[in-house]
């Protein structure tokens, strides 16, 4: 049986591959079940343009594909995940929704920050300590009526299962919409695909960012039927969204309590959905050094 250190070495190899190939940042992950690697994932934000394509999320999505191809139930209950760095709030949320209870991580958040990957602003949002918020949240009782009055867009476009919209809106100095068009849409795909990351808001982000081949969606406004939970809300931050309009009902969470996910992100004692153990930092640091050397070469 392969040991924990060997699993982390394999995850670290994914991280180095990500840097060398230009796929994304220096992050890799491996989902392990029954003592064997079920799937691998590496950061692919640069390659895909999708800001949700972090290593842990990709490993989970790839595991879903393996389960599906092998016609097995999608079951992460006995699985562990090895990540070359402490997961960000989005990835922690994805791990919680997958039902993975054990995380092994190599490098620290401070290692990531020094390499230019600082996720502290999202942690501060969830802990309530942020001095400034990136996203302006506007809740409304009737989201369909709001779409019609605010954007002059036919809300019937939400009747085919679409639950999230990304809208390109031109506003005047008073904030009134002059012109608006739907740029991207998303549906909740969990029931169809079994993918625990397949929330409507995340799928809207993935669809538009991948089409644009760029992760920065700050030029768009998001409208989503449900109030986003920690996973979707983290993804919105990585997509650099600044304005969202949502309903007051919390989005369907596939049996995972959003408050418990929030406690996990905040590290609340005795309330976390998973255990995180540090392992093999020295194994994972070379990927960060590769990244720093690459950034130096291009003068970034």
């Amino acid at each position: 049986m392969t040991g924990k250190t060997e699993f982390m070495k394999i995850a670290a190899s994914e991280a180095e591959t990500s840097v060398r190939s230009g796929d994304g940042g220096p992050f890799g992950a491996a989902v392990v079940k029954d003592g064997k690697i079920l799937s691998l994932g590496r950061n692919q934000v640069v390659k895909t343009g999708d800001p949700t394509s972090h290593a842990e999320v990709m490993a989970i999505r790839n595991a879903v594909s393996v389960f599906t191809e092998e016609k097995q139930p999608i079951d992460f209950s006995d699985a562990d995940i090895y990540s070359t760095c402490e997961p960000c709030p989005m990835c922690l949320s994805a791990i919680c929704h997958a039902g993975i209870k054990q995380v092994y991580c190599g490098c620290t958040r401070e290692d990531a920050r020094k390499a230019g990957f600082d996720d502290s602003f999202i942690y501060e949002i969830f802990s309530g300590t942020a001095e400034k918020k990136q996203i302006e949240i506007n809740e409304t009782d009737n989201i369909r009526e709001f779409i019609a009055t605010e954007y002059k867009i036919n809300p019937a476009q939400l009747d085919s299962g679409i639950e999230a919209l990304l809208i390109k809106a031109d506003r005047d100095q008073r904030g009134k919409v002059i012109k608006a068009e739907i740029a991207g849409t998303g549906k909740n795909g969990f029931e169809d695909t079994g993918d625990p990351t397949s929330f409507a808001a995340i799928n809207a982000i993935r669809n538009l960012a991948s089409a644009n081949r760029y992760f920065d969606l700050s030029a768009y406004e998001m409208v989503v039927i449900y109030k986003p939970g920690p996973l979707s809300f983290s993804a919105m931050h990585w997509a650099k969204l600044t304005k969202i309009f949502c309903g007051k009902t919390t989005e369907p969470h596939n049996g995972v309590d959003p408050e418990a996910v929030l406690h996990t992100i905040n590290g609340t004692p005795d309330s976390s959905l998973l255990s995180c153990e540090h392992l093999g930092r020295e194994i994972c640091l070379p990927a960060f050094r590769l990244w720093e050397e690459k950034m130096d070469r291009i003068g970034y």
Side-chain angles (χ1 to χ4, degrees):
M1 181 180 292
T2 306
K4 295 177 182 178
T5 300
E6 293 303 311
F7 288 136
M8 189 61 80
K9 285 181 179 178
I10 294 169
S13 178
E14 283 294 296
E16 293 179 22
T17 297
S18 179
V19 177
R20 290 195 174 99
S21 65
D23 285 356
F27 304 97
V31 174
V32 174
K33 187 176 174 69
D34 299 326
K36 299 178 182 179
I37 289 181
L38 177 65
S39 67
L40 299 174
R42 61 178 178 268
N43 187 291
Q44 297 192 46
V45 172
V46 175
K47 178 182 178 180
T48 64
D50 172 12
T52 74
S53 293
H54 290 201
E56 299 92 332
V57 172
M58 294 305 300
I60 290 169
R61 289 173 179 163
N62 291 338
V64 170
S65 296
V66 172
F67 284 130
T68 302
E69 289 170 5
E70 296 182 355
K71 294 181 172 55
Q72 297 180 11
I74 297 173
D75 181 10
F76 290 93
S77 59
D78 295 323
D80 302 332
I81 190 165
Y82 289 74
S83 173
T84 57
C85 190
E86 289 183 62
C88 73
M90 179 182 71
C91 293
L92 272 177
S93 300
I95 293 167
C96 289
H97 279 281
I100 297 172
K101 299 294 191 295
Q102 181 65 55
V103 180
Y104 296 98
C105 50
C107 295
T108 65
R109 288 162 54 190
E110 180 61 16
D111 292 324
R113 186 194 65 78
K114 289 179 179 178
F117 300 91
D118 189 358
D119 57 8
S120 61
F121 71 104
I122 306 180
Y123 277 102
E124 289 168 359
I125 291 291
F126 285 120
S127 67
T129 61
E131 295 182 1
K132 185 179 179 181
K133 294 183 179 181
Q134 172 185 311
I135 298 176
E136 173 191 334
I137 305 174
N138 304 274
E139 295 183 15
T140 179
D141 289 314
N142 191 325
I143 200 72
R144 286 178 169 80
E145 183 178 298
F146 171 80
I147 291 169
T149 56
E150 179 76 4
Y151 297 108
K152 304 299 186 290
I153 290 174
N154 185 352
Q157 296 190 58
L158 292 179
D159 291 341
S160 59
I162 292 172
E163 297 177 353
L165 302 173
L166 280 162
I167 296 175
K168 187 72 170 66
D170 296 329
R171 294 178 179 271
D172 62 21
Q173 293 181 342
R174 296 172 298 173
K176 184 178 180 180
V177 175
I178 303 170
K179 180 183 177 182
E181 61 180 354
I182 297 174
T185 63
K187 300 180 180 181
N188 188 316
F190 177 77
E191 294 295 332
D192 292 334
T193 67
D195 177 0
T197 74
S198 191
F199 287 87
I202 289 179
N203 288 335
I205 290 169
R206 292 180 68 189
N207 293 339
L208 181 57
S210 297
N212 289 351
R213 306 291 294 181
Y214 193 48
F215 61 86
D216 187 341
L217 301 181
S218 56
Y220 303 90
E221 299 175 7
M222 173 163 274
V223 179
V224 58
I225 289 179
Y226 299 103
K227 184 177 180 179
L231 178 53
S232 295
F233 197 49
S234 299
M236 292 172 185
H237 281 85
W238 285 125
K240 299 187 180 299
L241 294 173
T242 59
K243 187 188 291 288
I244 68 170
F245 299 92
C246 64
K248 294 183 178 180
T249 304
T250 303
E251 68 184 344
H253 42 74
N254 307 323
V256 178
D257 182 2
E259 285 299 316
V261 177
L262 186 59
H263 287 313
T264 302
I265 293 170
N266 289 333
T268 307
D270 302 322
S271 298
S272 179
L273 292 174
L274 51 82
S275 173
C276 188
E277 178 183 329
H278 283 273
L279 170 74
R281 177 172 177 265
E282 293 302 319
I283 297 171
C284 301
L285 278 174
F288 281 108
R289 298 191 186 108
L290 277 176
W291 177 264
E292 289 163 354
E293 291 169 3
K294 185 175 183 177
M295 292 302 100
D296 287 343
R297 285 198 303 271
I298 64 178
Y300 185 78

